């Protein structure tokens, strides 16, 4: 046996192939959905580990019938800019209702032709990302109408060990901060769904009692909490226009709040969103001080540079700042504490 074969066998033994929730459901031949009309909350990121669209896979089943698709912010193909309304559409021959337009919660007419709701969508591990919110409003609508919800679980790309930031104040919850969890929550979408359901975090009914969904999670196989995205062996698909890579997530964890407050440019409108940080009036001394402050954040490096964004804060102006680079396999100190 050659060296290469021995090495491959060793790697396979150490790191068995990760299987997503959709992979597990597919291997079961969709038995749990037999005879049911299926609604599906998903987008382009909802795929098998071999990159086949979950919507396409469900459409091809004789076991069940896909009758309705629901799409979150950024639309099915994740191309709609942040904050812009997404229109209703027809996908895979069925109506596709937007949950980021006139409605942010499924209505009864949208749900009347389904028996069960499947949710398969890639989250990024940051509380403000609205895919969590769309999942929870969908769970709430299904709880109110008696529809079962099945979550097909997916990895948290930052891993399951990185938890950082204050918990959101319950008096200040909104669609971009739906639950009282840390900013970097360390959870998969299945874990978030179970936590919200069991802790009574879904909206209350007319009697003041939190609704509770009939919920089931199809768990992953061989996912470990210490895994970052690069450790999963899965290909990354952009979850939104400004999250083209896992490193954009790491940058967003550090700089996203600063960008929302318009304190600095964070590279929105460049080829590396969330991986730049700077200002037109920054000096190289400012960059050196900022870079030095990052030294305690394991796996993060700031390289002094200039950049120009085509949109966002200081669009069209040269900014002096840092290009943030990340070691995906380093054990990070809290990313959002880096700045």
């Amino acid at each position: 046996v050659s060296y290469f074969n021995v090495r491959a066998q060793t790697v396979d033994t150490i790191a068995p192939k990760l299987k997503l929730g959709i992979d597990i459901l597919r291997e079961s031949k969709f038995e749990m959905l037999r005879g049911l009309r299926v609604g599906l909350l998903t987008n382009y990121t909802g795929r098998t580990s071999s990159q086949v669209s979950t919507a396409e896979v469900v459409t091809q089943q004789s076991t069940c019938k896909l009758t309705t698709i629901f799409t979150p912010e950024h639309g099915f193909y994740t191309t709609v800019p942040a904050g812009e309304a997404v229109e209703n559409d027809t996908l895979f021959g069925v109506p596709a209702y937007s949950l980021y337009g006139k409605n942010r919660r499924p209505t009864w007419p949208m749900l009347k032709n389904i028996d069960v709701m499947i949710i398969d969508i890639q989250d990024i591990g940051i509380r403000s990302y609205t895919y969590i919110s769309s999942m929870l409003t969908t769970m709430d609508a299904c709880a109110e109408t008696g529809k079962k919800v099945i979550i097909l679980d997916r990895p948290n790309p930052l891993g399951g060990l990185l938890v950082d930031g204050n918990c959101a104040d319950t008096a200040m919850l909104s669609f971009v901060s739906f639950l009282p969890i840390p900013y970097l929550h360390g959870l998969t979408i299945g874990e978030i769904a179970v936590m919200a359901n069991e802790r009574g975090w879904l909206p209350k009914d007319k009697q003041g009692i939190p609704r509770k969904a009939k919920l089931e999670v199809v768990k992953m196989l061989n996912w470990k909490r210490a895994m970052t995205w690069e450790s999963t062996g899965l290909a990354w698909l952009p979850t939104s226009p400004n999250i083209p890579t896992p490193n954009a997530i790491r940058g967003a964890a550090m700089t996203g709040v600063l960008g929302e407050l318009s304190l600095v440019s964070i590279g929105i409108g460049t080829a590396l969103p969330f991986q730049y940080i700077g200002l037109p009036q920054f000096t190289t001394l400012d960059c050196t001080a900022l870079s030095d402050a990052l030294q305690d954040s394991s796996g993060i490096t700031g390289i002094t540079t200039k950049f120009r964004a085509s949109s966002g804060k200081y669009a069209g102006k040269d900014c002096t700042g840092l290009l943030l680079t990340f070691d995906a396999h380093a054990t990070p100190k809290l990313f959002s504490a880096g700045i």
Side-chain angles (χ1 to χ4, degrees), residues 107 266 325:
T107 63
I266 55 173
T325 64

Side-chain angles (χ1 to χ4, degrees), residues 240-252 255 265-278 301 303 305-311 322-326:
S240 56
N242 288 319
I243 303 292
T245 65
N247 276 341
I249 303 173
R250 297 180 176 104
T255 68
S265 174
I266 55 173
I268 301 301
T270 74
L272 295 172
F274 297 115
Q275 288 180 248
Y276 289 112
I277 181 169
T301 302
I303 304 170
T305 188
K306 285 185 178 289
F307 63 94
R308 180 185 295 187
S310 61
S311 60
L322 298 181
L323 170 63
L324 303 174
T325 64
F326 304 91

Side-chain angles (χ1 to χ4, degrees), residues 128-140:
S128 59
Y129 215 59
T130 60
Y131 292 175
I132 297 171
S133 311
S134 293
M135 174 182 72
L136 294 167
T137 58
T138 298
M139 285 174 54
D140 178 50

Side-chain angles (χ1 to χ4, degrees), residues 160-177:
L161 298 178
L162 181 58
V163 179
D164 185 25
N166 293 332
C167 289
D169 189 327
T170 54
M172 302 294 289
L173 299 180
S174 68
F175 202 73
V176 293
S177 193

Side-chain angles (χ1 to χ4, degrees), residues 211-337:
R211 283 189 278 268
K212 188 172 184 179
K214 294 184 287 186
L215 177 65
E216 185 168 352
V217 176
V218 180
K219 297 181 179 180
M220 294 175 283
L221 182 65
N222 299 324
W223 182 72
K224 307 297 183 184
R225 304 209 74 83
M227 285 182 171
T228 59
W229 186 265
E230 290 79 0
S231 305
T232 67
L234 298 171
W236 180 260
L237 294 174
T239 53
S240 56
N242 288 319
I243 303 292
T245 65
N247 276 341
I249 303 173
R250 297 180 176 104
M254 289 181 61
T255 68
V257 172
L258 299 178
E260 289 293 330
L261 295 174
S262 295
L263 298 177
V264 292
S265 174
I266 55 173
I268 301 301
T270 74
L272 295 172
F274 297 115
Q275 288 180 248
Y276 289 112
I277 181 169
L279 289 166
Q281 61 267 37
F282 256 21
T283 67
T284 54
L285 289 177
D286 294 323
C287 293
T288 299
L290 189 55
S291 180
D292 289 345
L294 290 174
Q295 295 306 310
D296 290 336
S297 299
S298 178
I300 307 172
T301 302
I303 304 170
T304 300
T305 188
K306 285 185 178 289
F307 63 94
R308 180 185 295 187
S310 61
S311 60
K313 186 71 172 177
Y314 304 113
K317 296 182 179 180
D318 284 338
C319 290
T320 301
L322 298 181
L323 170 63
L324 303 174
T325 64
F326 304 91
D327 180 354
H329 301 288
T331 301
K333 295 183 181 179
L334 307 180
F335 281 127
S336 64

Side-chain angles (χ1 to χ4, degrees), residues 3-267:
Y3 162 79
F4 296 102
N5 287 336
V6 170
R7 184 176 183 276
Q9 291 168 1
T10 302
V11 170
D12 287 343
T13 301
I14 295 172
K17 183 178 179 181
L18 184 146
K19 293 183 179 180
L20 302 167
I22 179 58
D23 298 325
I24 304 299
L25 183 62
R26 194 182 193 185
E27 288 181 359
S28 74
K29 302 186 186 300
F30 291 80
E31 189 59 36
M32 67 193 305
L33 303 176
R34 181 169 293 279
L36 299 179
R37 299 171 300 167
V38 175
L40 176 63
L41 170 58
T42 193
N43 65 9
Y44 192 68
T45 68
R47 290 177 174 263
T48 68
S49 57
S50 58
Q51 296 303 307
V52 182
S53 167
T54 296
E56 181 180 345
V57 170
V58 177
T59 300
Q60 294 172 347
Q61 300 309 306
S62 58
T63 307
C64 57
K65 181 177 177 60
L66 180 65
T67 60
T68 316
I69 291 174
F70 299 86
T71 59
E73 185 179 9
H74 308 297
F76 182 81
Y77 292 103
T78 72
T79 56
V80 180
E84 287 192 14
V86 176
E87 300 298 325
N88 293 336
D89 202 348
T90 299
L91 298 167
F92 300 93
V94 303
Y97 294 112
S98 167
L99 298 183
Y100 200 81
K102 179 182 178 181
N103 298 294
R104 295 197 178 181
R105 179 181 186 272
T107 63
W108 168 244
M110 297 177 187
L111 295 172
K112 67 180 181 180
N113 290 325
I114 76 169
D115 302 308
V116 61
M117 178 71 75
I118 297 176
I119 300 176
D120 189 20
I121 195 166
Q122 182 61 57
D123 183 46
I124 68 169
I126 299 176
R127 183 184 65 219
S128 59
Y129 215 59
T130 60
Y131 292 175
I132 297 171
S133 311
S134 293
M135 174 182 72
L136 294 167
T137 58
T138 298
M139 285 174 54
D140 178 50
C142 289
E144 185 177 40
T145 55
K147 310 289 185 179
K148 183 177 180 179
V149 178
I150 298 174
I151 309 289
L152 305 182
D153 214 4
R154 293 186 163 271
N156 182 323
L158 295 177
L161 298 178
L162 181 58
V163 179
D164 185 25
N166 293 332
C167 289
D169 189 327
T170 54
M172 302 294 289
L173 299 180
S174 68
F175 202 73
V176 293
S177 193
F178 207 86
L179 295 177
I181 58 178
Y183 189 65
L184 306 184
H185 49 70
L187 301 171
T188 69
I189 60 166
E191 291 170 337
I192 291 174
V194 170
M195 179 181 287
N197 210 38
E198 295 302 317
R199 287 182 174 268
W201 287 346
L202 293 184
K204 296 178 181 179
D205 61 20
K206 292 180 180 179
Q207 286 72 45
I209 301 172
R211 283 189 278 268
K212 188 172 184 179
K214 294 184 287 186
L215 177 65
E216 185 168 352
V217 176
V218 180
K219 297 181 179 180
M220 294 175 283
L221 182 65
N222 299 324
W223 182 72
K224 307 297 183 184
R225 304 209 74 83
M227 285 182 171
T228 59
W229 186 265
E230 290 79 0
S231 305
T232 67
L234 298 171
W236 180 260
L237 294 174
T239 53
S240 56
N242 288 319
I243 303 292
T245 65
N247 276 341
I249 303 173
R250 297 180 176 104
M254 289 181 61
T255 68
V257 172
L258 299 178
E260 289 293 330
L261 295 174
S262 295
L263 298 177
V264 292
S265 174
I266 55 173

